Amino acid sequence: MLLEFEKPIADLELKLQEMKELAKGRKIDLSADIQSLEEKIQILKKETFQNLTRWQRVQLSRHADRPYALDYIYEMTNDFVELHGDRTVKDDKAMIGGLGDLDGRSVMFIGQQKGRNTKQRQERNFGMANPEGYRKALRLMKMAEKFGKPIVTLIDTPGAFPGLEAEERGQGEAIARNLKEMFMLKVPVICIIIGEGASGGALGIAIGDKVYMLENTWYSVISPESCSSILWRSWDYKEQAAEALKLTATDMKNNGLIDGIIEEPLGGAHKDMKNMAKTIKSTILEALKELDKIKPEKRTDQRIDKFCSMGVFVE
């Protein structure tokens, strides 16, 4: 699936492929033309992806080919063991978690998971967790704390599930409890936004010592479409809403809301998932090395202070 701003690049790549096939089939030397076109494609890619609008980055964060939490986890770890259930209601497939070996160290991974096709999307509820999903996440965090294992959360959700049954089972309470408990965890907590970071659904697993965003992701209290529908009673103003919300990784870093931006391959994370996973893994290991040097009590205090100092206010 191509996004609108990707089409000019795709057209040139198609021409390049045709040129290569022509040169091979007719045994013609087109190396100079091929090299020139390859350079042109590279320049166009850089110009396009270095100057994306906020709305285009939102689109890229939702790209159909973009890697999801389990893609990264299986690529980064050895012997990942998924753990299930909140021990109260059921196992929420939209929230996944389990232990994996990260360069010889056991790490508790937790994240929202979307689906690739219609059946998977229904099973995963489009990455929108119910209260039992957040309670499962908290159960796994407490397990990690008990056994002294660091926690890594991978965030990618359009929001917590807003259905009536979710509210009846205490969606707000489940997320609020996660916020409170994550502040007090004695083990290192690293949070990485790998796609969409919408509202409390994202924040419910995003209280950490280190919070990172991939380059082409977004993090906001509301999606551009929902913001547009509230302010203008129409989704047609989603581009303006995205600009007003200032929801990109660069915006978040400038406002002091995240600790760092993880660079993506040119064209987005889906263009080179293996290298993207390698970059995320090295970021996690580097952060753990830094956090391991801090005593648990001091680390908890720093985590609380970091979030309490966010925002601008006048007394």
Side-chain angles (χ1 to χ4, degrees), residues 145-216:
E145 183 181 42
K146 181 179 179 180
F147 293 105
K149 307 299 180 188
I151 299 164
V152 174
T153 68
L154 301 175
I155 297 138
D156 185 13
T157 180
F161 184 59
L164 177 62
E165 61 274 27
E167 298 299 338
E168 287 174 341
R169 292 198 298 275
Q171 184 73 287
E173 186 277 339
I175 293 172
R177 183 173 293 276
N178 276 24
L179 303 185
K180 174 181 175 291
E181 296 292 345
M182 286 187 81
F183 277 119
M184 307 308 296
L185 290 169
K186 292 181 175 63
V187 293
V189 184
I190 299 165
C191 308
I192 304 173
I193 296 157
I194 60 169
E196 299 185 90
S199 194
L203 200 59
I205 57 168
I207 304 295
D209 302 295
K210 296 287 184 182
V211 180
Y212 299 100
M213 287 178 72
L214 267 58
E215 184 182 356
N216 296 307

Side-chain angles (χ1 to χ4, degrees), residues 6-103:
E6 292 180 307
K7 287 178 182 176
I9 298 167
D11 291 341
L12 286 181
E13 286 176 336
L14 182 61
K15 284 181 185 176
L16 178 64
Q17 185 62 32
E18 289 171 352
M19 197 179 286
K20 285 180 178 178
E21 288 173 3
L22 181 66
K24 187 178 178 182
R26 297 192 180 180
K27 296 180 180 177
I28 307 169
D29 183 15
L30 297 173
S31 55
D33 295 316
I34 288 171
Q35 186 181 347
S36 174
L37 189 54
E38 283 175 338
E39 288 172 1
K40 189 177 178 181
I41 289 169
Q42 198 65 15
I43 290 167
L44 182 60
K45 275 185 178 179
K46 283 181 180 176
E47 286 177 354
T48 302
F49 290 100
Q50 285 174 0
N51 297 288
L52 292 174
T53 66
R54 290 181 174 91
W55 172 244
Q56 286 170 336
R57 290 198 189 277
V58 170
Q59 288 180 297
L60 205 52
S61 75
R62 298 168 175 168
H63 200 288
D65 298 328
R66 194 172 178 86
Y68 296 143
L70 284 175
D71 298 321
Y72 288 126
I73 291 169
Y74 282 119
E75 187 63 37
M76 291 189 294
T77 66
N78 300 314
D79 305 323
F80 175 68
V81 178
E82 189 173 351
L83 301 170
H84 300 273
D86 70 335
R87 301 294 184 267
T88 305
V89 179
K90 64 175 183 179
D91 182 41
D92 189 345
K93 302 288 185 184
M95 186 76 76
I96 57 95
L99 288 163
D101 182 280
L102 198 70
D103 273 11

Side-chain angles (χ1 to χ4, degrees), residues 299-314:
R299 201 166 47 222
T300 303
D301 289 342
Q302 287 179 351
R303 193 185 303 152
I304 293 168
D305 291 342
K306 181 175 80 167
F307 280 86
C308 286
S309 65
M310 289 179 182
V312 178
F313 60 91
V314 178

Side-chain angles (χ1 to χ4, degrees), residues 97-112:
L99 288 163
D101 182 280
L102 198 70
D103 273 11
R105 182 172 184 177
S106 290
V107 174
M108 180 66 80
F109 286 93
I110 296 165
Q112 286 110 350

